[in-house]
Amino acid sequence: MPTVISKYIDNTVAKYNIPKEHFTRSVVAAVFFLYGLKLGYPYIQSLCKNGTSTVSQQNGHPSIISSTADGENCVDSSTNNNKVQNGKSVINDVKHDNVVLKRQKSPGVNKEFILQLQKLVKLMVPGIWTKEIALLSMHTLALATRTFLSIYVASMEGQIVKYIVRKDVKNFAIMLLKWLGVAVPATFINSMIRYLENKLALAFRSRLVSHAYSLYFKNQTYYRVANLDGRIENADHRLTDDITAFTSSVAHLYSHITKPLFDCLLIAIALARTNKKMGAAIIPGPTLAIVVISLTGQILKAVSPKFGSLVAEEANRKGYLRHIHARIITNAEEIAFYGGQKVELSQLERAYGSLVDQMNTIFSQRLWYVMLEQFLMKYVWSSTGMIMVSLPILTSSRREEQDCSADGGVSERTQYFTTARNLLISGADAVERLMSSYKEVVELAGYTSRVGDMLDVFEDASHGKYQRTVVTTSESKHSGRNSGFRMEFKNGQPVAKGVLCETRDGTIVLENVPIVTPNCDVVCPNLTFTVTPGMHLLITGPNGCGKSSLFRILSGLWPVYSGELRKPASSDMFYIPQRPYMSLGSLADQVIYPDTEADMRRKGITLGNLEHCLRLVHLDHIVEREGGWHVATDWKDVLSGGEKQRMAMARLFYHRPKFALLDECTSAVSIDVESNIYQEAKVAGITLLTITHRPSLWKFHTHLLQFNGEGGWKLESLDSTARLSLKEEKQKLEAQLAGVPDAQERLKELCKVLGEDMASVPAESTD
C-alpha cells in the first residue's frame, strides 16, 4: 500500500510539474484540516443552534425551554422539538401543573459514578472471606505470574539471538529447548487468566442477580415498578442483559488494568537494570517515555467522545426493542384478531431503526478516535521506543570493553537490543491498555448508571416511594368532585398521606379513603364503610367507576393517599381476577398456587384434599383427562376460559381465606355451576366481596355497594328477592317500551293512508 501511494504521488508531481515537497505538505495539511473540521463540527453546530434559539426568542416566538420563578425549567406545550428516544418523547426537567419529567443525566466518570460503583462492588464482594475474594486473589496471582514470565521470555529471546550471532549451536539449542519449555506454563497462565476472568464475572453476576431478585419480589416491587413508577420501562432487560454486561465489564476491566500496572512496574525495573548493565544513563529514556505518554493522554482525553452516554443510550434502545418484541408475543392473539400486523411492524421497524442510528453514531465516533489513537500509540510510541533502545547503545560507557571481545561486542549489543525491544513492546502494550481502559471505564459508567438506577428504583418502590410522569393537567381530575379532598404534590409527585394498618378482629374498615389511579385521577374522592366477617358485599357500577381499583387498594397494590385503611393480613384476603394466572408446573401446582409442594406438605394437605377442591368447582375430571397430578404442561393453552376460572376458584377452597375478592371471576362459567361454587364458599365461611353483573349472584350477598360513576357511592342492605322482582319489572318495561316508537310511526302511516284525523293519535312521549 505505501508503494502504491508513493507511485501515485510521483506520477502526480511529474504530470503537473509540482515540487514533491510542496505537494506532500499540502496533502498532510489537508488531512489535518479535514480531521480538525470533523472534531470541531459538533461545536460549530451547537453554537449555530444556540444562535438560532436566541434569535427566535428575540423575534417573539415561544422558546422550547423557559424558566419559572422557582428556577425549574418548563416546556411550552405548543412546541414539538423534543428529543425522541425509544419512540417516546424525552424532555429535560419539565414542571407544569404538577407535570414532571425527570432530566436524563448523561452518565460519565464523576462522583456519582464512583458512589454507584462503590455500592455495587459491596454487593458483589460482601466480605473478605468470600468466594469472590478467593477468585480475585487467584486472578491477581495469575496476572503477576504472567508478567514475570513475559520478562523472562524476553531475556531468553535476547540470549537466543546472542548465540545466533556468535554461531554457538550448542547454547542456541539449549536455550531454544528452555524457551519451548517455558511456553507450556505461559500458555496455561494465559488460559487461566481468561478462565478466572469469566468465573469472576459469573460470581459477580450471581451476587448481583440474587440481590436484584430479592428487591424485585420484595413487597410486590415487580408490580409497583411496572404500574406505579415510571422510571424503568424495561426491568426485564436490566435484570438480564444490563447486569451481565456490567459484571463482565467489571471483571474485564480489573484484568485490563491490573496486568498493565504489573507490566509497567516490573518492565521499568528490568529496563533500568539492563541500561545499568550496559553502562548507560537511566534517566533520559524513562523521562522521554513519560513526556510522550503524558502528551498522548492529554490529546486523547481532549478528543475522546462520551462513550458512557453513547453506550447507555444504546442499551436503552436495545431494551426498548426487546420490549416491543415481548409485547407482540404477549398480545399475539389480539393483534391477529384485529389484523394489526402493519402497525406492529411499523413500531418494530421504528425501534430497530432507532437502535441502528445509535450504533452508527457510535461506529462513526470510534472511527476517528481509533484512528488518532492508533497513530499516537503505534507510530509515535514506536519511534520513541527506537530512541529509547538506541540511547544505551549510543551513549554506553562500556564500548571499549565490548570492542575487546571476540566479536567486538556485537553479540552483547544484539542481546541487549532484542531484550530491550521485547520489553518495550510489552511495556508499550501495557501503557496502551491502560490508556485505552479509560474508554472502557466510561462505558462501564453507562452500565453502572443503568444497574445502579434500577436497584435504587427497586428500593424506593419497595418502600412505597414512586416517581411517575403525570400527563394530565385537568384540575378536576386531581381533586374530588363536591368534596374537600385534593391531591397533594411534592416535587411534582403525589404524596400518599393515608394510614394503612392491620386489624385483629378480621374486619375491613375504610375511613375517608379516596380511589386514585396511578395517573392521579380521582375516581372516588371519599369512601367510608366497614365489612365484617359474614357480610357478603356485592359491588356494582358502570365501567371506570373504581370497582377493580378498590380491590387494588384493599390488596395493598395501590397507595392510600388519604384517610385510613384497616384490613386483615394479606394471607387472609385472596383475590381472583377475571383472567386467572396459570403458573408453570404440574396440575397440583395450579391448585395450590402460590404455595409450593413443601408448603402443602407442611399444612398437612394431600392430593385427596386437592381432588376435593376440584370436585367443588366441577373440575375433578381434569385429573384423569390430563394424565395425573404431576403432569407439567402449558396450562394457559390447555385449559379453556371457563376451566381456568374454575381452577382459580379451586385455589380459593384450597387456601380458605377469610375474605375473597372476586372480580368477574366466573363470567365464563355456567350459572348452575357458578351458584354451586358461591354456595360452597359461603358454607366454608369465606366472606365474599364480588364484582359482577349477573343478577343470579345477588342472592349470595347481604349488602350492596353501588358506584354511580360520578364519584358518588351508596352502601345499603341487599334484599335479593325484592331486587330481583324490580329487575324483572324493569326488563319487562324496557321490552314493552322498545316497540313504542315503531308502533307510533306505523300508526301515523296508517292514518295518512286512511285520511283520518291525526288528532286521534296519542301524543308522543317527550322523554
Side-chain angles (χ1 to χ4, degrees):
M1 188 68 181
T3 305
V4 175
I5 296 175
S6 179
K7 288 182 178 179
Y8 177 77
I9 293 175
D10 292 338
N11 293 335
T12 305
V13 168
K15 183 178 180 180
Y16 295 101
N17 196 20
I18 302 174
K20 186 175 180 180
E21 184 178 289
H22 294 171
F23 180 76
T24 53
R25 287 178 179 177
S26 301
V27 171
V28 172
V31 170
F32 277 100
F33 173 76
L34 292 175
Y35 185 68
L37 184 63
K38 168 68 179 178
L39 297 178
Y41 178 74
Y43 300 102
I44 298 173
Q45 190 179 27
S46 62
L47 291 174
C48 293
K49 286 185 177 180
N50 292 336
T52 305
S53 177
T54 305
V55 171
S56 65
Q57 293 179 23
Q58 292 174 352
N59 292 337
H61 297 290
S63 61
I64 297 175
I65 301 178
S66 58
S67 178
T68 59
D70 56 358
E72 296 288 335
N73 291 333
C74 296
V75 170
D76 195 334
S77 60
S78 63
T79 61
N80 295 319
N81 298 327
N82 303 323
K83 295 181 179 178
V84 175
Q85 295 179 358
N86 299 339
K88 295 190 176 182
S89 178
V90 179
I91 310 173
N92 289 338
D93 264 1
V94 183
K95 182 177 181 182
H96 178 66
D97 289 340
N98 297 328
V99 180
V100 170
L101 295 175
K102 288 292 181 181
R103 174 182 295 149
Q104 293 190 348
K105 296 181 179 179
S106 177
V109 183
N110 48 31
K111 182 179 179 181
E112 184 179 359
F113 161 66
I114 298 298
L115 294 177
Q116 283 186 328
L117 184 60
Q118 183 181 7
K119 178 181 177 181
L120 294 176
V121 168
K122 288 182 179 179
L123 294 175
M124 295 186 296
V125 187
I128 297 177
W129 307 106
T130 57
K131 174 184 176 182
E132 290 74 19
I133 289 294
L135 288 173
L136 280 170
S137 302
M138 294 174 62
H139 195 196
T140 305
L141 180 61
L143 294 173
T145 304
R146 184 67 185 88
T147 301
F148 281 110
L149 285 173
S150 299
I151 296 174
Y152 183 64
V153 168
S155 63
M156 290 180 66
E157 289 180 355
Q159 294 180 36
I160 290 174
V161 173
K162 181 180 72 172
Y163 292 131
I164 291 174
V165 172
R166 288 183 178 180
K167 298 181 180 181
D168 189 344
V169 178
K170 179 181 177 181
N171 287 326
F172 167 73
I174 294 173
M175 292 304 302
L176 187 61
L177 290 175
K178 288 183 179 180
W179 187 79
L180 290 174
V182 172
V184 175
T187 52
F188 174 76
I189 289 296
N190 287 336
S191 181
M192 179 61 70
I193 288 173
R194 288 191 290 268
Y195 170 77
L196 291 174
E197 181 181 322
N198 293 330
K199 289 284 290 183
L200 196 60
L202 184 59
F204 287 164
R205 180 184 178 185
S206 299
R207 289 280 188 183
L208 210 54
V209 164
S210 177
H211 178 74
Y213 282 178
S214 63
L215 287 179
Y216 194 53
F217 289 95
K218 179 182 177 182
N219 295 333
Q220 300 167 328
T221 300
Y222 55 90
Y223 174 85
R224 302 182 181 192
V225 167
N227 296 274
L228 301 179
D229 196 289
R231 286 173 285 179
I232 295 181
E233 293 183 356
N234 309 306
D236 57 338
H237 186 270
R238 297 202 182 195
L239 285 168
T240 53
D241 291 357
D242 284 353
I243 288 182
T244 303
F246 168 75
T247 52
S248 299
S249 180
V250 170
H252 177 70
L253 193 61
Y254 176 78
S255 175
H256 206 65
I257 291 178
T258 305
K259 187 178 184 302
L261 289 176
F262 283 140
D263 289 346
C264 291
L265 176 63
L266 298 177
I267 288 173
I269 295 174
L271 282 173
R273 292 177 60 186
T274 305
N275 289 353
K276 186 176 181 182
K277 184 178 179 181
M278 290 293 293
I282 300 176
I283 301 300
T287 303
L288 178 62
I290 292 173
V291 171
V292 172
I293 291 172
S294 300
L295 290 176
T296 303
Q298 292 297 323
I299 294 173
L300 292 179
K301 183 179 180 181
V303 302
S304 175
K306 296 181 179 180
F307 287 110
S309 58
L310 292 173
V311 170
E313 180 60 23
E314 180 186 7
N316 195 24
R317 298 191 184 191
K318 284 182 179 178
Y320 182 71
L321 179 62
R322 182 173 177 175
H323 172 66
I324 295 295
H325 278 289
R327 287 185 71 255
I328 294 174
I329 294 172
T330 303
N331 304 288
E333 185 176 1
E334 289 82 355
I335 295 171
F337 272 128
Y338 282 110
Q341 54 270 9
K342 183 178 179 181
V343 175
E344 301 301 328
L345 177 61
S346 65
Q347 293 178 352
L348 198 60
E349 289 177 339
R350 192 181 306 116
Y352 180 73
S354 176
L355 175 60
V356 169
D357 292 341
Q358 182 65 17
M359 294 180 70
N360 284 328
T361 301
I362 295 176
F363 295 158
S364 62
Q365 294 282 352
R366 283 178 175 168
L367 170 65
W368 299 101
Y369 180 78
V370 171
M371 171 187 166
L372 178 62
E373 185 181 59
Q374 290 295 313
F375 172 76
L376 293 174
M377 293 185 177
K378 187 174 183 180
Y379 295 99
V380 174
W381 286 12
S382 296
S383 61
T384 305
M386 292 178 187
I387 297 174
M388 292 177 63
V389 171
S390 63
L391 283 176
I393 297 177
L394 297 176
T395 62
S396 175
S397 60
R398 298 180 57 199
R399 185 173 303 173
E400 295 180 358
E401 298 178 9
Q402 293 173 351
D403 292 341
C404 296
S405 61
D407 56 0
V410 174
S411 60
E412 293 291 337
R413 290 195 294 270
T414 304
Q415 177 186 0
Y416 160 75
F417 181 83
T418 304
T419 303
R421 178 180 176 275
N422 290 334
L423 289 176
L424 280 175
I425 290 174
S426 299
D429 180 65
V431 176
E432 180 182 355
R433 278 182 285 157
L434 279 176
M435 298 188 67
S436 62
S437 64
Y438 177 76
K439 178 173 60 178
E440 297 185 9
V441 171
V442 176
E443 292 181 356
L444 175 64
Y447 295 126
T448 303
S449 175
R450 288 178 62 82
V451 176
D453 290 345
M454 176 191 68
L455 297 180
D456 291 341
V457 171
F458 286 176
E459 287 276 5
D460 291 345
S462 65
H463 293 93
K465 299 177 183 178
Y466 313 116
Q467 291 184 21
R468 187 179 178 89
T469 302
V470 183
V471 298
T472 179
T473 57
S474 176
E475 192 72 23
S476 62
K477 291 184 178 182
H478 290 170
S479 60
R481 300 180 181 88
N482 302 323
S483 72
F485 175 72
R486 177 183 174 85
M487 289 291 297
E488 181 177 338
F489 292 85
K490 184 177 181 180
N491 297 327
Q493 299 299 321
V495 179
K497 301 188 298 182
V499 178
L500 177 63
C501 56
E502 293 186 1
T503 58
R504 297 182 178 180
D505 55 356
T507 60
I508 299 175
V509 180
L510 288 86
E511 294 183 0
N512 300 320
V513 175
I515 297 178
V516 183
T517 68
N519 196 38
C520 297
D521 297 334
V522 180
V523 179
C524 181
N526 194 332
L527 197 59
T528 301
F529 65 84
T530 301
V531 179
T532 58
M535 178 180 168
H536 305 287
L537 184 64
L538 180 70
I539 304 173
T540 63
N543 293 332
C545 65
K547 304 187 296 295
S548 299
S549 301
L550 173 61
F551 281 178
R552 296 185 181 102
I553 294 176
L554 293 177
S555 299
L557 301 181
W558 286 8
V560 181
Y561 286 100
S562 182
E564 183 177 357
L565 171 60
R566 299 191 296 273
K567 66 183 187 67
S570 299
S571 58
D572 293 333
M573 304 178 69
F574 197 81
Y575 172 70
I576 302 179
Q578 185 175 7
R579 297 176 59 183
Y581 170 69
M582 296 291 109
S583 67
L584 300 175
S586 64
L587 179 60
D589 293 331
Q590 307 310 307
V591 180
I592 67 177
Y593 186 83
D595 280 0
T596 62
E597 290 188 10
D599 297 329
M600 183 184 75
R601 289 192 295 268
R602 187 167 55 251
K603 292 179 179 180
I605 298 177
T606 63
L607 294 179
N609 300 124
L610 298 186
E611 188 172 358
H612 176 69
C613 294
L614 290 181
R615 191 177 300 113
L616 292 176
V617 297
H618 298 247
L619 208 60
D620 52 321
H621 64 280
I622 202 172
V623 180
E624 183 178 355
R625 188 188 79 184
E626 299 300 333
W629 286 103
H630 300 290
V631 174
T633 185
D634 191 353
W635 299 103
K636 175 177 65 68
D637 297 329
V638 170
L639 301 179
S640 65
E643 288 175 340
K644 284 186 282 190
Q645 288 190 343
R646 282 185 281 167
M647 182 65 72
M649 295 300 291
R651 294 172 182 169
L652 179 68
F653 292 113
Y654 167 81
H655 291 283
R656 292 185 178 272
K658 293 181 179 179
F659 291 89
L661 309 180
L662 311 177
D663 189 356
E664 294 280 356
C665 63
T666 54
S667 58
V669 180
S670 61
I671 294 179
D672 56 336
V673 174
E674 180 186 56
S675 299
N676 293 336
I677 293 174
Y678 272 77
Q679 183 60 41
E680 291 294 339
K682 292 185 66 175
V683 171
I686 301 173
T687 302
L688 307 176
L689 282 74
T690 307
I691 298 174
T692 185
H693 294 289
R694 285 188 173 182
S696 58
L697 295 179
W698 291 356
K699 59 185 177 181
F700 300 106
H701 299 82
T702 60
H703 290 76
L704 173 67
L705 176 62
Q706 190 169 8
F707 293 95
N708 61 9
E710 297 293 330
W713 58 275
K714 180 173 64 174
L715 178 65
E716 59 184 1
S717 298
L718 176 62
D719 186 348
S720 59
T721 304
R723 191 172 182 85
L724 281 173
S725 63
L726 294 175
K727 180 74 173 179
E728 292 176 358
E729 183 180 357
K730 173 179 174 293
Q731 291 175 348
K732 289 179 181 179
L733 289 175
E734 287 177 345
Q736 292 174 358
L737 292 175
V740 170
D742 294 338
Q744 289 181 343
E745 188 66 26
R746 179 59 178 165
L747 182 58
K748 289 181 181 180
E749 293 178 0
L750 294 174
C751 291
K752 185 176 181 180
V753 172
L754 296 173
E756 295 184 359
D757 190 2
M758 296 293 295
S760 61
V761 180
E764 294 185 18
S765 175
T766 58
D767 292 343

